[in-house]
Amino acid sequence: MTGTRPFKHALDRLQQAGLRPTRQRLALARLLFDKVDRHITAEQLHAEAVDAEVQVSLATVYNTLHQFTDAGLLREVVVEAGRSYFDTNTSDHHHFFFEGNGNLQDIPGESVTVAHFPAAPAGTRVARVDVIIRLAPEEA
Amino acid sequence: MTGTRPFKHALDRLQQAGLRPTRQRLALARLLFDKVDRHITAEQLHAEAVDAEVQVSLATVYNTLHQFTDAGLLREVVVEAGRSYFDTNTSDHHHFFFEGNGNLQDIPGESVTVAHFPAAPAGTRVARVDVIIRLAPEEA
DNA sequence: AATTAATTTAGAAATATTCTAAAATGTTTT
DNA sequence: AAAACATTTTAGAATATTTCTAAATTAATT
Ligand SMILES: [Mn+2]
Ligand SMILES: [Mn+2]
Ligand SMILES: [Zn+2]
Ligand SMILES: [Zn+2]
């Protein structure tokens, strides 16, 4: 019976995160996690939900994306002013960013070495290291 | 005679960038470049200008920051949604970002090594490599 | 079924940034 | 130095993203 596994998968994620499995969260989790990894904005996800005839407000999409992020199910990626991407790939990795079209592409964590940087200042710890390789169209 | 050198310095920058030395640009250039390197937002710079009794609109501050950036006099740094910093340090360097208070601190380019990353996809060239080391308050 | 707690929502608000077109200023030509 | 021309500045509106508020709904527990 096709169609139940995706629900199961999304349900597992919510339980793992300690979040109540509401209709909206289940639907958003399915949209987010039942496909290949991706980088999506709140508005894009809301549009996808509307498109899939899931009734959910934009406020709830924002709330849910932040809850998922806090729970470690998503990662927020900021590369441009006034636009936040939410990344379904939560493994240690980095990004190519195409300045032309705003696309993001993953770079596996193992394939970048960040070495020699100074120790974190006293009273702080390194929460994350982000490497963004900004790409421009090749000149003619 | 103190007070003329700063004008000369700012004037040089504008000429180097091929920008007309208007009252507003000169004043903003002095505020930006006649002190130690820093990371400043458009609103902060506008507030400083108002404070220094320089009459300039917020729109002009944005225009000028972008012109300076395009001319290579500034660098835009994006680390948080809905907030752009302009960096008077245009040398090749990276950043510590304190998630607690939104502060940025430079890391000299030579003290970070980014190695082994994949080649830029066909049709693109690497415009810049940004390394952001995100710091959180040390846990108790 | 009643109680309690968590969630969703519409709409307003806050924030950041860009746009528009008119006024002002700077530059070049005569 | 006036006239002509080009650039810049500006107020205010517009756009865009994100957050907030408080009321309505839904879920979980008793
Ligand atoms: Mn968006
Ligand atoms: Mn700001
Ligand atoms: Zn990613
Ligand atoms: Zn810097």
Side-chain angles (χ1 to χ4, degrees):
Chain A
M1 200 235 269
T2 309
T4 71
R5 187 199 42 78
F7 278 106
K8 177 66 163 58
H9 184 205
L11 191 58
D12 288 346
R13 295 269 188 151
L14 294 182
Q15 278 167 344
Q16 163 196 353
L19 293 168
R20 282 190 184 177
T22 63
R23 183 174 55 72
Q24 291 87 343
R25 284 183 183 149
L26 271 171
L28 294 176
R30 291 185 67 195
L31 290 172
L32 286 168
F33 304 122
D34 286 348
K35 39 195 82 170
V36 75
D37 275 330
R38 60 230 209 84
H39 306 96
I40 194 171
T41 67
E43 296 222 11
Q44 281 168 4
L45 180 59
H46 184 246
E48 282 195 16
V50 167
D51 208 65
E53 314 206 45
V54 172
Q55 202 197 295
V56 59
S57 70
L58 182 58
T60 295
V61 171
Y62 272 105
N63 289 342
T64 303
L65 287 171
H66 287 137
Q67 289 155 357
F68 285 7
T69 300
D70 292 345
L73 265 36
L74 290 175
R75 219 177 91 166
E76 192 172 353
V77 179
V78 180
V79 283
E80 274 190 318
R83 175 187 258 174
S84 251
Y85 292 92
F86 291 86
D87 192 341
T88 58
N89 179 353
T90 56
S91 74
D92 187 354
H93 72 283
H94 302 291
H95 294 97
F96 279 127
F97 177 64
F98 297 77
E99 312 215 291
N101 60 15
N103 252 52
L104 278 171
Q105 184 183 311
D106 284 347
I107 304 173
E110 322 82 64
S111 60
V112 177
T113 307
V114 180
H116 306 307
F117 62 83
T124 69
R125 65 183 174 78
V126 174
R128 195 164 94 195
V129 176
D130 284 339
V131 176
I132 297 152
I133 300 178
R134 294 175 185 274
L135 302 174
E138 198 156 35
E139 45 227 278
Chain B
M1 200 234 268
T2 309
T4 71
R5 185 197 47 74
F7 278 106
K8 177 67 164 57
H9 185 206
L11 191 59
D12 288 347
R13 295 269 188 151
L14 294 183
Q15 278 166 345
Q16 164 196 351
L19 293 168
R20 285 190 182 177
T22 64
R23 181 174 56 73
Q24 290 86 343
R25 285 184 183 148
L26 271 172
L28 294 176
R30 291 184 67 194
L31 289 173
L32 286 168
F33 305 122
D34 285 347
K35 37 195 82 168
V36 76
D37 276 329
R38 60 230 210 86
H39 308 95
I40 193 170
T41 66
E43 297 223 10
Q44 281 167 5
L45 180 58
H46 184 246
E48 281 195 16
V50 168
D51 208 67
E53 314 206 45
V54 171
Q55 201 197 296
V56 60
S57 71
L58 182 58
T60 294
V61 170
Y62 272 105
N63 288 342
T64 302
L65 286 171
H66 287 137
Q67 290 155 358
F68 285 8
T69 300
D70 292 346
L73 265 35
L74 290 175
R75 218 177 91 166
E76 192 171 354
V77 180
V78 180
V79 284
E80 273 191 318
R83 173 186 257 175
S84 251
Y85 292 92
F86 292 86
D87 191 342
T88 59
N89 179 353
T90 56
S91 75
D92 188 354
H93 73 281
H94 301 291
H95 294 98
F96 279 128
F97 177 64
F98 297 78
E99 313 216 287
N101 60 15
N103 252 53
L104 278 171
Q105 184 182 311
D106 284 347
I107 304 172
E110 322 83 63
S111 61
V112 178
T113 306
V114 180
H116 306 307
F117 63 84
T124 68
R125 65 183 174 77
V126 174
R128 194 164 93 194
V129 176
D130 284 338
V131 176
I132 296 151
I133 300 177
R134 294 175 185 275
L135 303 174
E138 198 155 36
E139 45 227 279

